[in-house]
């Protein structure tokens, strides 16, 4: 009879930002603005990289893949959050929740390993410039991108299979989308194994890329210190400055969200989640547009061509 009760849960309801009351409309406007800027920025980057042959290099190939991944990544959770701010107590089926979590884990993992691939690209460009075209061939770039997505796929299958093989008793998700920890807490049974899987996967997805990027930058810094000229220093630093900025913010937020002891404060969890679902994806186009001379030059060329064609 107890088993029958387990099967009665067929959908979840998101608690979202209901604790903010009337301020939810203001939050909706703010988040919608950030979301539009994020989508616009990433679409512009993808378009510029596709149309400008000056950017047909491994570095910008990875940047284009990251922009594409970040765009879909935000589509997985942000529309659900915006909808919840306007229309309260919106339900989602178990299948819908599993699908959302599946794509969220794939894309979050994919982003982490794409940043690692970009770190390797910086390492090769600075430490092995004469062998760059060989070490960063189209085949190698494609393999790194496929490996990033494949790793995300494996992690997502592992997470979702473990999560949705247990029965659920609760229906109210104390969050604004089907993230792992809030859904896991709705289980009727012991979730020790699920918690171990969650922490193990999170550690792998965060610590392995961070370790590889750290090793890359140890070699990069060692090489830069051997450069005699100040101009050489500036050029080498410019090669990896944008990447290092994105990596620092991205992994800091991810580590706090998934590796620190879990907080029971749902407000703290929601605000922390906003950082890696909305703020961090905006960082990618902002940093690579405003701090990258080649991207700015490509934008100027694109605007110039458009203006010339109209004349």
């Amino acid at each position: 009879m107890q088993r029958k009760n387990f099967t009665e849960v067929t959908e979840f309801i998101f608690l979202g930002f209901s604790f903010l009351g009337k301020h939810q409309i203001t939050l909706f406007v703010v988040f919608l603005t950030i979301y539009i800027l994020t989508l616009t920025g990433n679409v512009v980057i993808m378009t510029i990289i596709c149309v400008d042959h000056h950017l047909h290099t491994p570095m910008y190939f990875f940047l284009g893949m990251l922009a594409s991944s970040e765009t879909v990544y935000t589509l997985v959770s942000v529309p659900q959050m915006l909808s919840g701010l306007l229309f309260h107590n919106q339900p989602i089926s178990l299948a819908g929740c599993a699908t959302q979590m599946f794509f969220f884990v794939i894309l979050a993992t994919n982003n982490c390993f794409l940043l690692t691939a970009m770190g390797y690209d910086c390492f090769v460009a600075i430490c092995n410039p004469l062998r760059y075209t060989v070490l960063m061939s189209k085949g190698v770039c494609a393999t790194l991108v496929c490996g990033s997505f494949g790793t995300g796929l494996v992690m997502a299958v592992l997470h979702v299979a473990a999560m949705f093989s247990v029965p659920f008793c609760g229906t109210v998700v104390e969050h604004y989308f089907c993230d792992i920890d809030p859904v896991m807490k709705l289980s009727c049974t012991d979730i020790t194994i699920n918690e171990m899987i969650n922490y193990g996967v999170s550690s792998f997805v965060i610590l392995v890329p961070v370790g590889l990027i750290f090793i890359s930058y140890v070699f990069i810094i060692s090489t830069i210190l051997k450069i005699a000229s100040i101009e050489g220093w500036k050029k080498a630093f410019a090669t990896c400055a944008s990447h290092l900025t994105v990596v620092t913010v991205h992994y800091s937020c991810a580590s706090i969200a998934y590796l620190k002891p879990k907080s029971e404060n749902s407000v703290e969890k929601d605000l922390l989640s906003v950082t890696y679902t909305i703020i961090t994806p905006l960082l990618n186009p902002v940093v690579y547009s405003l701090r990258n001379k080649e991207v700015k030059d490509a934008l100027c060329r694109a605007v110039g061509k458009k203006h010339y064609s109209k004349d």
Side-chain angles (χ1 to χ4, degrees), residues 20-309:
L20 291 174
K22 62 182 181 180
H23 299 294
Q24 290 183 82
I25 299 300
T26 303
L27 203 62
F28 172 82
V29 174
V30 173
F31 286 165
L32 179 62
T33 302
I34 295 174
Y35 185 47
I36 292 172
L37 291 173
T38 300
L39 290 180
T40 303
N42 280 316
V43 169
V44 168
I45 283 182
M46 287 186 287
T47 304
I48 289 297
I49 290 173
C50 286
V51 301
D52 195 306
H53 70 276
H54 295 90
L55 302 183
H56 291 177
T57 63
M59 173 184 174
Y60 293 105
F61 170 70
F62 290 129
L63 178 57
M65 292 296 102
L66 181 62
S68 302
S69 183
E70 291 277 26
T71 299
V72 183
Y73 171 77
T74 57
L75 287 170
V76 170
S77 58
V78 178
Q80 178 84 55
M81 180 193 68
L82 293 173
S83 177
L85 287 169
L86 292 181
F87 310 103
H88 309 307
N89 299 326
Q90 284 194 312
I92 185 171
S93 66
L94 287 184
C97 185
T99 301
Q100 187 180 57
M101 186 182 296
F102 181 76
F103 284 104
F104 175 77
V105 174
I106 284 181
L107 294 164
T109 305
N110 185 49
N111 293 344
C112 287
F113 281 92
L114 281 176
L115 287 171
T116 307
M118 294 172 76
Y120 176 69
D121 176 69
C122 289
F123 159 74
V124 176
I126 294 173
C127 300
N128 295 282
L130 298 179
R131 300 182 61 202
Y132 183 80
T133 54
V134 175
L135 295 176
M136 297 305 298
S137 64
K138 290 182 179 180
V140 171
C141 293
T143 300
L144 289 172
V145 169
C146 291
S148 298
F149 185 81
T151 303
L153 182 61
V154 172
M155 297 299 104
V157 169
L158 181 62
H159 254 314
V160 174
M163 183 71 66
F164 289 88
S165 63
V166 300
F168 295 100
C169 292
T171 58
V172 179
V173 180
E174 294 184 348
H175 206 41
Y176 55 84
F177 75 101
C178 285
D179 203 356
I180 299 159
D181 189 57
V183 174
M184 188 163 52
K185 290 182 177 179
L186 301 180
S187 173
C188 298
T189 59
D190 181 34
I191 57 173
T192 302
I193 298 298
N194 298 79
E195 288 177 335
M196 291 173 62
I197 292 173
N198 182 28
Y199 193 78
V201 169
S202 298
S203 298
F204 174 79
V205 169
I206 295 172
L207 297 181
V208 170
V210 166
L212 293 173
I213 291 171
F214 177 78
I215 293 171
S216 296
Y217 274 98
V218 167
F219 285 105
I220 288 171
I221 293 171
S222 176
T223 301
I224 290 176
L225 292 176
K226 295 175 184 177
I227 299 174
S229 67
I230 299 298
E231 195 63 33
W233 276 44
K234 289 181 179 179
K235 185 176 180 181
F237 180 74
T239 302
C240 54
S242 297
H243 175 259
L244 190 57
T245 302
V246 173
V247 162
T248 301
V249 177
H250 178 91
Y251 286 107
S252 296
C253 295
S255 298
I256 294 171
Y258 289 101
L259 297 184
K260 82 175 188 68
K262 300 299 180 183
S263 171
E264 295 300 321
N265 187 337
S266 61
V267 176
E268 180 184 334
K269 288 186 294 185
D270 285 343
L271 295 177
L272 183 62
S273 298
V274 166
T275 305
Y276 63 81
T277 55
I278 297 182
I279 306 300
T280 303
L282 178 62
L283 185 70
N284 176 35
V286 168
V287 170
Y288 280 101
S289 297
L290 299 181
R291 296 194 58 180
N292 192 297
K293 184 177 183 301
E294 290 181 313
V295 173
K296 287 190 286 187
D297 289 345
L299 284 169
C300 290
R301 285 192 294 268
V303 172
K305 286 180 180 179
K306 185 177 180 182
H307 178 74
Y308 181 78
S309 63

